[in-house]
Amino acid sequence: MPRLAAASLVGTAIEFYDFFVYGTAAALVLGPLFFPTFSPLAGTLAAFATFGVGFVARPLGSVLFGHLGDRRGRRPVLVVSLLLTGASTVAVGCVPSYGAIGTAAPVLLLVLRFLQGLGLGGEWGGAVLLTAEHAPAQRRALWASFPQVGPALGFVLANGVMLALSAALSDAEFARWGWRVPFWAAGVLALAGLWLRSSLAESPRFLEIDDHARVPLVEVVRHHGRLVLLTAGALAVGYAVFYAVTTWSLAYATERLGVSRTVMLVCVMGAVVVKGALTPVVALFGDRYGRRPMCLTGCTACALWMLPMVALLSTGEPLLMFLAILGALLGFVVMFAVIAAYLPELYEPRVRCTGAAVGYNLGGVLGGALTPIVATALAERGGRVPWGVGVYLTCIALISLVCFALLPETRPVPVPAAEPAAEPAGG
């Protein structure tokens, strides 16, 4: 299990590195380079729109790779999705700016972002299922949480590279070529991930299935449609909170408050490091107390924290901004530390890869695709404190809370040890 969990964690980290490095670039530099005819606000919104396309593609990727995972196995999904995401990320770093090729530049950016999302839509289901289906039932949340550490590791790696380049280069050098380096580095990381995953064994639970679903998506829609919608609605808050503090807050702090790019990246990265470190610890509580209680607790915490969060962010003080982001991510991790065990347990094994991945990635569309765009527009309309953003995030949290309340508990119940047989009379 440690070797399998490590391979899943590293591979997921690489794929999310690819995905996150685009979000950071969108917040910091893509607007002026690819949408120079727009105003600064419109350019940022347009860059975030290309960012959102990746989320739209993720459910399609979950259908495509979910079909592969339910029909051919979880392991092939990990290899193909990593290749697709890595190649499209490297290609983003090679796209000429608007000044060089005109409108073809943002169009190419859009296409490559779509391919990134397609690959990532398959990654999560394959990595999580391979780990969860190998894990012992009473420690499933713990072992399945390690792929969930991957996004935090990928985010820190992506932003660490951006931070180092931002500090070492002038603004002109960073805008001219520096921002491309993290995208090119994705090629090396993808090759490392492929080598790591080449020796993984197929899921034993998949090998036990005798009757594979012919068209998994059809079965999921027909027999689990309500479950997919509930899981998507439940997970929307996690995506909304995460991308509000890791993507929108970067643009808001640097453009509206005048906070330096370096300071803001350090604040966000510090909070994400804490979140990643706590993920396996919180997952242990999920194994002990159940998946649903943890999700309800984290969702409630997010609903209560969103208004204080925007108030602290608007101060422009680094320590208070760090606390704002940290509080939001603590609520997030209480939910998402157990999701990797919870979602697979909700679906029967023959359609599990499709059902869990589609529900997970639809939540990304509802919560992650629009949040940076809506938050940027709301912050522009408000005063110094963007209360509208806090209200928007609170409403999403309340909707997710209702969805979590309607989902069942899935934690395996320990089987009591058998009573010793009584001795025969006179024995």
Side-chain angles (χ1 to χ4, degrees):
M1 284 308 305
R3 179 173 163 275
L4 178 65
S8 294
L9 186 158
V10 171
T12 307
I14 292 168
E15 291 231 38
F16 274 90
Y17 165 89
D18 296 350
F19 201 73
F20 289 144
V21 78
Y22 189 102
T24 305
L28 298 178
V29 76
L30 294 187
L33 288 176
F34 289 88
F35 305 96
T37 59
F38 292 12
S39 68
L41 172 63
T44 300
L45 288 171
F48 280 150
T50 62
F51 174 75
V53 165
F55 285 98
V56 175
R58 283 174 65 168
L60 299 177
S62 66
V63 171
L64 175 65
F65 288 103
H67 184 93
L68 176 65
D70 284 325
R71 294 282 299 168
R72 303 297 179 193
R74 321 314 191 196
R75 188 172 171 270
V77 171
L78 300 183
V79 175
V80 180
S81 63
L82 186 57
L83 273 173
L84 177 60
T85 311
S88 55
T89 304
V90 172
V92 169
C94 300
V95 176
S97 66
Y98 184 93
I101 60 173
T103 54
V107 170
L108 283 173
L109 209 59
L110 204 67
V111 171
L112 293 171
R113 180 60 176 174
F114 183 87
L115 293 176
Q116 265 192 331
L118 207 65
L120 194 63
E123 160 66 24
W124 185 88
V128 162
L129 259 64
L130 198 63
T131 309
E133 290 182 342
H134 271 93
Q138 301 310 316
R139 283 289 178 264
R140 187 174 293 133
L142 171 64
W143 289 114
S145 73
F146 283 93
Q148 292 294 82
V149 179
L153 190 58
F155 181 86
V156 171
L157 186 60
N159 284 273
V161 174
M162 282 286 192
L163 179 61
L165 289 166
S166 179
L169 303 174
S170 67
D171 287 347
E173 289 172 325
F174 184 79
R176 189 164 62 251
W177 60 268
W179 68 272
R180 298 181 184 273
V181 175
F183 290 89
W184 296 334
V188 179
L189 294 174
L191 291 176
L194 288 170
W195 174 78
L196 233 141
R197 289 181 165 183
S198 61
S199 60
L200 293 181
E202 184 53 81
S203 158
R205 194 69 189 90
F206 173 79
L207 297 175
E208 292 171 3
I209 300 172
D210 296 321
D211 181 24
H212 295 283
R214 177 172 291 182
V215 186
L217 180 63
V218 172
E219 287 199 26
V220 167
V221 172
R222 184 178 297 164
H223 302 297
H224 305 284
R226 177 178 179 273
L227 184 57
V228 169
L229 294 177
L230 283 177
T231 52
L235 298 180
V237 62
Y239 282 100
V241 168
F242 188 83
Y243 287 101
V245 299
T246 61
T247 300
W248 166 74
S249 68
L250 283 176
Y252 169 72
T254 54
E255 294 174 9
R256 289 287 305 278
L257 304 180
V259 178
S260 80
R261 187 166 56 210
T262 302
V263 168
M264 197 58 201
L265 284 172
V266 168
C267 288
V268 175
M269 286 171 59
V272 171
V273 167
V274 176
K275 171 250 178 192
L278 288 178
T279 298
V281 178
V282 175
L284 284 170
F285 289 95
D287 277 324
R288 179 162 185 173
Y289 299 109
R291 292 48 161 138
R292 186 167 168 269
M294 300 298 293
C295 292
L296 290 171
T297 302
C299 199
T300 302
C302 286
L304 295 173
W305 185 247
M306 293 302 98
L307 289 173
M309 181 191 78
V310 296
L312 291 171
L313 277 176
S314 66
T315 64
E317 294 294 329
L319 179 58
L320 296 180
M321 297 178 85
F322 170 75
L323 292 175
I325 295 166
L326 179 62
L329 291 184
L330 290 178
F332 169 91
V333 79
V334 172
M335 289 181 287
F336 271 59
V338 300
I339 286 299
Y342 195 17
L343 258 63
E345 290 169 347
L346 287 167
Y347 294 88
E348 58 181 306
R350 69 198 305 267
V351 295
R352 183 173 284 165
C353 196
T354 299
V358 169
Y360 186 84
N361 288 295
L362 276 178
V365 176
L366 298 175
L370 294 177
T371 292
I373 300 171
V374 173
T376 299
L378 289 173
E380 185 68 20
R381 289 173 174 270
R384 181 175 176 83
V385 181
W387 295 116
V389 177
V391 171
Y392 169 74
L393 294 173
T394 302
C395 290
I396 294 178
L398 292 175
I399 292 169
S400 293
L401 189 63
V402 172
C403 292
F404 274 126
L406 294 173
L407 288 171
E409 178 55 73
T410 62
R411 180 173 67 100
V413 178
V415 178
E419 296 274 346
E423 290 191 60

Short mmCIF file of all heavy atoms in Angstrom, two decimals, residues 334-391:
data_model
loop_
_atom_site.label_atom_id
_atom_site.label_comp_id
_atom_site.label_asym_id
_atom_site.label_seq_id
_atom_site.Cartn_x
_atom_site.Cartn_y
_atom_site.Cartn_z
N VAL A 334 -11.38 19.17 5.49
CA VAL A 334 -12.24 18.30 6.29
C VAL A 334 -13.21 17.53 5.38
O VAL A 334 -13.54 16.37 5.64
CB VAL A 334 -13.01 19.11 7.35
CG1 VAL A 334 -14.05 18.25 8.06
CG2 VAL A 334 -12.02 19.68 8.38
N MET A 335 -13.65 18.16 4.30
CA MET A 335 -14.51 17.48 3.33
C MET A 335 -13.70 16.59 2.40
O MET A 335 -13.97 15.39 2.26
CB MET A 335 -15.26 18.51 2.45
CG MET A 335 -16.34 19.28 3.12
SD MET A 335 -17.10 20.40 1.93
CE MET A 335 -15.83 21.65 1.75
N PHE A 336 -12.72 17.16 1.74
CA PHE A 336 -12.09 16.48 0.61
C PHE A 336 -11.07 15.42 1.02
O PHE A 336 -10.64 14.62 0.18
CB PHE A 336 -11.47 17.51 -0.33
CG PHE A 336 -12.43 17.99 -1.38
CD1 PHE A 336 -13.62 18.59 -1.03
CD2 PHE A 336 -12.16 17.82 -2.73
CE1 PHE A 336 -14.53 19.02 -1.98
CE2 PHE A 336 -13.06 18.25 -3.70
CZ PHE A 336 -14.24 18.84 -3.33
N ALA A 337 -10.68 15.36 2.28
CA ALA A 337 -9.79 14.28 2.72
C ALA A 337 -10.47 12.93 2.63
O ALA A 337 -9.81 11.91 2.44
CB ALA A 337 -9.33 14.54 4.16
N VAL A 338 -11.80 12.88 2.78
CA VAL A 338 -12.52 11.60 2.77
C VAL A 338 -13.25 11.33 1.45
O VAL A 338 -13.79 10.24 1.26
CB VAL A 338 -13.54 11.53 3.93
CG1 VAL A 338 -12.83 11.66 5.26
CG2 VAL A 338 -14.62 12.60 3.81
N ILE A 339 -13.26 12.29 0.55
CA ILE A 339 -14.02 12.16 -0.70
C ILE A 339 -13.50 11.01 -1.56
O ILE A 339 -14.27 10.31 -2.23
CB ILE A 339 -13.99 13.49 -1.49
CG1 ILE A 339 -14.90 14.52 -0.83
CG2 ILE A 339 -14.37 13.29 -2.94
CD1 ILE A 339 -16.36 14.11 -0.77
N ALA A 340 -12.18 10.77 -1.53
CA ALA A 340 -11.62 9.72 -2.37
C ALA A 340 -12.09 8.33 -1.94
O ALA A 340 -12.10 7.40 -2.75
CB ALA A 340 -10.10 9.78 -2.34
N ALA A 341 -12.46 8.16 -0.69
CA ALA A 341 -13.06 6.90 -0.23
C ALA A 341 -14.58 6.94 -0.39
O ALA A 341 -15.20 5.94 -0.75
CB ALA A 341 -12.70 6.64 1.23
N TYR A 342 -15.16 8.11 -0.15
CA TYR A 342 -16.62 8.24 -0.13
C TYR A 342 -17.26 8.00 -1.50
O TYR A 342 -18.17 7.19 -1.66
CB TYR A 342 -16.97 9.64 0.38
CG TYR A 342 -18.41 9.86 0.80
CD1 TYR A 342 -19.28 8.80 1.06
CD2 TYR A 342 -18.91 11.15 0.96
CE1 TYR A 342 -20.59 9.01 1.47
CE2 TYR A 342 -20.21 11.38 1.37
CZ TYR A 342 -21.04 10.31 1.61
OH TYR A 342 -22.34 10.52 2.02
N LEU A 343 -16.74 8.68 -2.53
CA LEU A 343 -17.36 8.57 -3.85
C LEU A 343 -17.30 7.17 -4.42
O LEU A 343 -18.33 6.66 -4.89
CB LEU A 343 -16.72 9.58 -4.82
CG LEU A 343 -17.56 10.84 -5.08
CD1 LEU A 343 -17.72 11.64 -3.80
CD2 LEU A 343 -16.93 11.70 -6.16
N PRO A 344 -16.15 6.48 -4.41
CA PRO A 344 -16.16 5.11 -4.93
C PRO A 344 -17.11 4.19 -4.17
O PRO A 344 -17.71 3.29 -4.77
CB PRO A 344 -14.70 4.66 -4.75
CG PRO A 344 -13.92 5.93 -4.80
CD PRO A 344 -14.79 6.95 -4.12
N GLU A 345 -17.25 4.39 -2.87
CA GLU A 345 -18.14 3.54 -2.08
C GLU A 345 -19.62 3.76 -2.42
O GLU A 345 -20.45 2.90 -2.15
CB GLU A 345 -17.92 3.78 -0.59
CG GLU A 345 -16.58 3.25 -0.09
CD GLU A 345 -16.24 3.71 1.32
OE1 GLU A 345 -16.92 4.63 1.83
OE2 GLU A 345 -15.29 3.17 1.90
N LEU A 346 -19.94 4.90 -3.01
CA LEU A 346 -21.33 5.18 -3.36
C LEU A 346 -21.79 4.43 -4.62
O LEU A 346 -22.99 4.29 -4.85
CB LEU A 346 -21.52 6.69 -3.59
CG LEU A 346 -21.50 7.58 -2.34
CD1 LEU A 346 -21.38 9.05 -2.73
CD2 LEU A 346 -22.74 7.36 -1.48
N TYR A 347 -20.84 3.98 -5.44
CA TYR A 347 -21.18 3.36 -6.72
C TYR A 347 -20.79 1.89 -6.74
O TYR A 347 -19.78 1.50 -6.14
CB TYR A 347 -20.47 4.10 -7.87
CG TYR A 347 -20.94 5.52 -8.06
CD1 TYR A 347 -20.35 6.56 -7.37
CD2 TYR A 347 -21.99 5.81 -8.93
CE1 TYR A 347 -20.78 7.87 -7.54
CE2 TYR A 347 -22.42 7.12 -9.10
CZ TYR A 347 -21.82 8.14 -8.40
OH TYR A 347 -22.25 9.44 -8.55
N GLU A 348 -21.56 1.07 -7.46
CA GLU A 348 -21.23 -0.34 -7.61
C GLU A 348 -19.98 -0.47 -8.48
O GLU A 348 -19.72 0.36 -9.36
CB GLU A 348 -22.40 -1.10 -8.22
CG GLU A 348 -22.85 -0.59 -9.58
CD GLU A 348 -24.03 -1.37 -10.13
OE1 GLU A 348 -23.92 -2.60 -10.21
OE2 GLU A 348 -25.06 -0.74 -10.45
N PRO A 349 -19.16 -1.51 -8.25
CA PRO A 349 -17.85 -1.61 -8.91
C PRO A 349 -17.89 -1.58 -10.43
O PRO A 349 -16.98 -1.04 -11.06
CB PRO A 349 -17.31 -2.96 -8.41
CG PRO A 349 -17.97 -3.15 -7.09
CD PRO A 349 -19.34 -2.55 -7.23
N ARG A 350 -18.92 -2.12 -11.07
CA ARG A 350 -18.93 -2.23 -12.54
C ARG A 350 -19.07 -0.88 -13.24
O ARG A 350 -18.73 -0.75 -14.42
CB ARG A 350 -20.01 -3.21 -13.00
CG ARG A 350 -21.43 -2.74 -12.79
CD ARG A 350 -22.41 -3.91 -12.86
NE ARG A 350 -22.27 -4.66 -14.10
CZ ARG A 350 -22.99 -4.43 -15.20
NH1 ARG A 350 -23.87 -3.44 -15.21
NH2 ARG A 350 -22.83 -5.16 -16.27
N VAL A 351 -19.56 0.16 -12.54
CA VAL A 351 -19.65 1.50 -13.14
C VAL A 351 -18.98 2.55 -12.26
O VAL A 351 -19.21 3.74 -12.40
CB VAL A 351 -21.13 1.90 -13.40
CG1 VAL A 351 -21.75 1.00 -14.44
CG2 VAL A 351 -21.93 1.89 -12.11
N ARG A 352 -18.14 2.08 -11.35
CA ARG A 352 -17.56 2.98 -10.34
C ARG A 352 -16.64 4.03 -10.93
O ARG A 352 -16.66 5.20 -10.51
CB ARG A 352 -16.80 2.12 -9.32
CG ARG A 352 -16.19 2.89 -8.17
CD ARG A 352 -15.61 1.92 -7.17
NE ARG A 352 -16.67 1.31 -6.36
CZ ARG A 352 -16.49 0.22 -5.62
NH1 ARG A 352 -15.32 -0.38 -5.61
NH2 ARG A 352 -17.49 -0.25 -4.89
N CYS A 353 -15.83 3.66 -11.90
CA CYS A 353 -14.88 4.62 -12.48
C CYS A 353 -15.62 5.77 -13.17
O CYS A 353 -15.26 6.94 -13.02
CB CYS A 353 -13.96 3.90 -13.47
SG CYS A 353 -12.48 4.84 -13.89
N THR A 354 -16.68 5.43 -13.89
CA THR A 354 -17.47 6.46 -14.58
C THR A 354 -18.28 7.28 -13.59
O THR A 354 -18.24 8.52 -13.61
CB THR A 354 -18.41 5.81 -15.61
OG1 THR A 354 -17.63 5.11 -16.59
CG2 THR A 354 -19.25 6.87 -16.32
N GLY A 355 -19.03 6.62 -12.71
CA GLY A 355 -19.91 7.33 -11.79
C GLY A 355 -19.17 8.28 -10.86
O GLY A 355 -19.53 9.46 -10.74
N ALA A 356 -18.12 7.77 -10.20
CA ALA A 356 -17.37 8.61 -9.25
C ALA A 356 -16.69 9.77 -9.96
O ALA A 356 -16.71 10.91 -9.48
CB ALA A 356 -16.34 7.76 -8.50
N ALA A 357 -16.08 9.50 -11.13
CA ALA A 357 -15.35 10.56 -11.84
C ALA A 357 -16.29 11.61 -12.42
O ALA A 357 -15.99 12.81 -12.37
CB ALA A 357 -14.50 9.94 -12.95
N VAL A 358 -17.43 11.19 -12.96
CA VAL A 358 -18.38 12.16 -13.51
C VAL A 358 -18.94 13.05 -12.41
O VAL A 358 -19.01 14.28 -12.55
CB VAL A 358 -19.53 11.44 -14.27
CG1 VAL A 358 -20.65 12.42 -14.61
CG2 VAL A 358 -19.00 10.81 -15.56
N GLY A 359 -19.34 12.47 -11.28
CA GLY A 359 -19.85 13.27 -10.17
C GLY A 359 -18.80 14.25 -9.66
O GLY A 359 -19.09 15.42 -9.41
N TYR A 360 -17.56 13.77 -9.53
CA TYR A 360 -16.46 14.61 -9.04
C TYR A 360 -16.19 15.78 -9.97
O TYR A 360 -16.04 16.93 -9.54
CB TYR A 360 -15.21 13.74 -8.89
CG TYR A 360 -14.02 14.43 -8.27
CD1 TYR A 360 -13.89 14.51 -6.88
CD2 TYR A 360 -13.01 14.98 -9.05
CE1 TYR A 360 -12.79 15.13 -6.30
CE2 TYR A 360 -11.91 15.60 -8.49
CZ TYR A 360 -11.80 15.67 -7.10
OH TYR A 360 -10.71 16.29 -6.54
N ASN A 361 -16.14 15.50 -11.26
CA ASN A 361 -15.78 16.55 -12.22
C ASN A 361 -16.94 17.47 -12.58
O ASN A 361 -16.71 18.63 -12.95
CB ASN A 361 -15.18 15.91 -13.47
CG ASN A 361 -13.79 15.36 -13.21
OD1 ASN A 361 -12.87 16.11 -12.93
ND2 ASN A 361 -13.64 14.05 -13.26
N LEU A 362 -18.18 17.00 -12.47
CA LEU A 362 -19.32 17.92 -12.62
C LEU A 362 -19.32 18.94 -11.48
O LEU A 362 -19.69 20.10 -11.68
CB LEU A 362 -20.63 17.14 -12.62
CG LEU A 362 -21.08 16.55 -13.96
CD1 LEU A 362 -22.38 15.78 -13.77
CD2 LEU A 362 -21.27 17.64 -15.01
N GLY A 363 -18.91 18.51 -10.30
CA GLY A 363 -18.76 19.45 -9.19
C GLY A 363 -17.76 20.54 -9.53
O GLY A 363 -17.92 21.70 -9.13
N GLY A 364 -16.72 20.17 -10.31
CA GLY A 364 -15.74 21.17 -10.74
C GLY A 364 -16.34 22.21 -11.66
O GLY A 364 -16.00 23.39 -11.59
N VAL A 365 -17.25 21.77 -12.55
CA VAL A 365 -17.92 22.73 -13.45
C VAL A 365 -18.77 23.69 -12.63
O VAL A 365 -18.74 24.91 -12.83
CB VAL A 365 -18.79 21.98 -14.48
CG1 VAL A 365 -19.57 22.98 -15.34
CG2 VAL A 365 -17.93 21.11 -15.37
N LEU A 366 -19.56 23.14 -11.70
CA LEU A 366 -20.47 23.97 -10.90
C LEU A 366 -19.72 24.92 -9.99
O LEU A 366 -20.12 26.07 -9.82
CB LEU A 366 -21.39 23.07 -10.07
CG LEU A 366 -22.32 22.13 -10.85
CD1 LEU A 366 -23.07 21.21 -9.89
CD2 LEU A 366 -23.29 22.93 -11.70
N GLY A 367 -18.63 24.44 -9.38
CA GLY A 367 -17.95 25.26 -8.38
C GLY A 367 -16.68 25.93 -8.84
O GLY A 367 -16.35 27.02 -8.38
N GLY A 368 -15.92 25.29 -9.75
CA GLY A 368 -14.60 25.81 -10.10
C GLY A 368 -14.55 26.64 -11.37
O GLY A 368 -13.79 27.60 -11.46
N ALA A 369 -15.36 26.28 -12.37
CA ALA A 369 -15.25 26.95 -13.67
C ALA A 369 -15.65 28.42 -13.61
O ALA A 369 -15.00 29.29 -14.19
CB ALA A 369 -16.11 26.21 -14.71
N LEU A 370 -16.74 28.70 -12.89
CA LEU A 370 -17.28 30.06 -12.89
C LEU A 370 -16.77 30.93 -11.74
O LEU A 370 -16.84 32.15 -11.82
CB LEU A 370 -18.81 30.01 -12.83
CG LEU A 370 -19.51 29.41 -14.05
CD1 LEU A 370 -21.02 29.36 -13.83
CD2 LEU A 370 -19.20 30.22 -15.30
N THR A 371 -16.27 30.32 -10.69
CA THR A 371 -15.93 31.09 -9.48
C THR A 371 -14.94 32.22 -9.74
O THR A 371 -15.19 33.37 -9.32
CB THR A 371 -15.43 30.16 -8.37
OG1 THR A 371 -16.53 29.35 -7.93
CG2 THR A 371 -14.89 30.94 -7.19
N PRO A 372 -13.78 32.00 -10.41
CA PRO A 372 -12.88 33.13 -10.64
C PRO A 372 -13.53 34.26 -11.46
O PRO A 372 -13.29 35.44 -11.21
CB PRO A 372 -11.70 32.49 -11.40
CG PRO A 372 -11.73 31.06 -11.00
CD PRO A 372 -13.19 30.74 -10.88
N ILE A 373 -14.37 33.88 -12.44
CA ILE A 373 -15.03 34.89 -13.28
C ILE A 373 -16.05 35.67 -12.48
O ILE A 373 -16.07 36.92 -12.48
CB ILE A 373 -15.71 34.21 -14.50
CG1 ILE A 373 -14.67 33.47 -15.34
CG2 ILE A 373 -16.45 35.23 -15.35
CD1 ILE A 373 -15.27 32.60 -16.42
N VAL A 374 -16.95 34.95 -11.79
CA VAL A 374 -18.00 35.61 -11.00
C VAL A 374 -17.38 36.44 -9.88
O VAL A 374 -17.80 37.59 -9.64
CB VAL A 374 -18.97 34.55 -10.42
CG1 VAL A 374 -19.96 35.21 -9.46
CG2 VAL A 374 -19.71 33.84 -11.54
N ALA A 375 -16.39 35.89 -9.20
CA ALA A 375 -15.76 36.62 -8.09
C ALA A 375 -15.08 37.89 -8.57
O ALA A 375 -15.15 38.94 -7.91
CB ALA A 375 -14.77 35.70 -7.37
N THR A 376 -14.41 37.83 -9.72
CA THR A 376 -13.75 39.02 -10.27
C THR A 376 -14.78 40.10 -10.60
O THR A 376 -14.58 41.29 -10.29
CB THR A 376 -12.95 38.64 -11.54
OG1 THR A 376 -11.94 37.68 -11.19
CG2 THR A 376 -12.28 39.87 -12.13
N ALA A 377 -15.88 39.70 -11.22
CA ALA A 377 -16.94 40.66 -11.56
C ALA A 377 -17.58 41.25 -10.30
O ALA A 377 -17.84 42.46 -10.24
CB ALA A 377 -17.99 39.97 -12.43
N LEU A 378 -17.85 40.43 -9.30
CA LEU A 378 -18.47 40.91 -8.06
C LEU A 378 -17.53 41.84 -7.30
O LEU A 378 -17.96 42.85 -6.74
CB LEU A 378 -18.86 39.73 -7.17
CG LEU A 378 -20.04 38.87 -7.65
CD1 LEU A 378 -20.20 37.64 -6.76
CD2 LEU A 378 -21.33 39.69 -7.66
N ALA A 379 -16.24 41.50 -7.28
CA ALA A 379 -15.27 42.34 -6.57
C ALA A 379 -15.15 43.70 -7.25
O ALA A 379 -14.97 44.74 -6.58
CB ALA A 379 -13.92 41.64 -6.52
N GLU A 380 -15.26 43.74 -8.55
CA GLU A 380 -15.16 45.01 -9.29
C GLU A 380 -16.34 45.92 -9.00
O GLU A 380 -16.20 47.14 -8.94
CB GLU A 380 -15.08 44.71 -10.80
CG GLU A 380 -14.85 45.93 -11.67
CD GLU A 380 -13.48 46.54 -11.47
OE1 GLU A 380 -12.58 45.85 -10.96
OE2 GLU A 380 -13.32 47.73 -11.81
N ARG A 381 -17.51 45.32 -8.78
CA ARG A 381 -18.71 46.10 -8.51
C ARG A 381 -18.78 46.60 -7.07
O ARG A 381 -19.44 47.58 -6.77
CB ARG A 381 -19.97 45.27 -8.80
CG ARG A 381 -20.20 45.03 -10.27
CD ARG A 381 -21.35 44.06 -10.48
NE ARG A 381 -21.68 43.92 -11.89
CZ ARG A 381 -22.57 44.67 -12.52
NH1 ARG A 381 -23.21 45.62 -11.89
NH2 ARG A 381 -22.82 44.50 -13.81
N GLY A 382 -18.13 45.87 -6.16
CA GLY A 382 -18.21 46.23 -4.74
C GLY A 382 -17.19 47.28 -4.35
O GLY A 382 -16.44 47.81 -5.18
N GLY A 383 -17.14 47.58 -3.07
CA GLY A 383 -16.17 48.52 -2.56
C GLY A 383 -14.86 47.82 -2.26
O GLY A 383 -14.51 46.82 -2.89
N ARG A 384 -14.14 48.32 -1.26
CA ARG A 384 -12.85 47.71 -0.93
C ARG A 384 -13.03 46.29 -0.41
O ARG A 384 -12.22 45.42 -0.67
CB ARG A 384 -12.11 48.57 0.10
CG ARG A 384 -10.74 47.99 0.47
CD ARG A 384 -9.94 48.90 1.38
NE ARG A 384 -8.70 48.27 1.77
CZ ARG A 384 -7.58 48.27 1.06
NH1 ARG A 384 -7.57 48.87 -0.12
NH2 ARG A 384 -6.50 47.66 1.50
N VAL A 385 -14.09 46.06 0.38
CA VAL A 385 -14.37 44.71 0.88
C VAL A 385 -15.37 44.05 -0.07
O VAL A 385 -16.51 44.51 -0.19
CB VAL A 385 -14.95 44.74 2.31
CG1 VAL A 385 -15.20 43.32 2.80
CG2 VAL A 385 -14.00 45.48 3.26
N PRO A 386 -14.99 43.00 -0.76
CA PRO A 386 -15.88 42.38 -1.75
C PRO A 386 -16.91 41.45 -1.11
O PRO A 386 -16.85 40.23 -1.25
CB PRO A 386 -14.89 41.60 -2.64
CG PRO A 386 -13.78 41.23 -1.72
CD PRO A 386 -13.66 42.37 -0.74
N TRP A 387 -17.88 42.04 -0.40
CA TRP A 387 -18.87 41.23 0.31
C TRP A 387 -19.66 40.33 -0.64
O TRP A 387 -20.09 39.23 -0.25
CB TRP A 387 -19.84 42.13 1.07
CG TRP A 387 -19.21 42.92 2.18
CD1 TRP A 387 -19.11 44.28 2.27
CD2 TRP A 387 -18.59 42.41 3.37
NE1 TRP A 387 -18.46 44.65 3.42
CE2 TRP A 387 -18.13 43.51 4.12
CE3 TRP A 387 -18.36 41.12 3.86
CZ2 TRP A 387 -17.47 43.37 5.34
CZ3 TRP A 387 -17.70 40.97 5.07
CH2 TRP A 387 -17.27 42.09 5.80
N GLY A 388 -19.85 40.79 -1.88
CA GLY A 388 -20.59 39.97 -2.84
C GLY A 388 -19.94 38.62 -3.07
O GLY A 388 -20.62 37.60 -3.25
N VAL A 389 -18.60 38.60 -3.07
CA VAL A 389 -17.88 37.33 -3.24
C VAL A 389 -18.16 36.41 -2.06
O VAL A 389 -18.41 35.21 -2.24
CB VAL A 389 -16.36 37.58 -3.38
CG1 VAL A 389 -15.61 36.26 -3.48
CG2 VAL A 389 -16.07 38.47 -4.58
N GLY A 390 -18.14 36.96 -0.85
CA GLY A 390 -18.42 36.16 0.34
C GLY A 390 -19.83 35.59 0.32
O GLY A 390 -20.05 34.43 0.68
N VAL A 391 -20.80 36.41 -0.10
CA VAL A 391 -22.20 35.94 -0.17
C VAL A 391 -22.34 34.84 -1.22
O VAL A 391 -23.00 33.82 -0.99
CB VAL A 391 -23.14 37.12 -0.49
CG1 VAL A 391 -24.55 36.61 -0.77
CG2 VAL A 391 -23.15 38.12 0.67
#
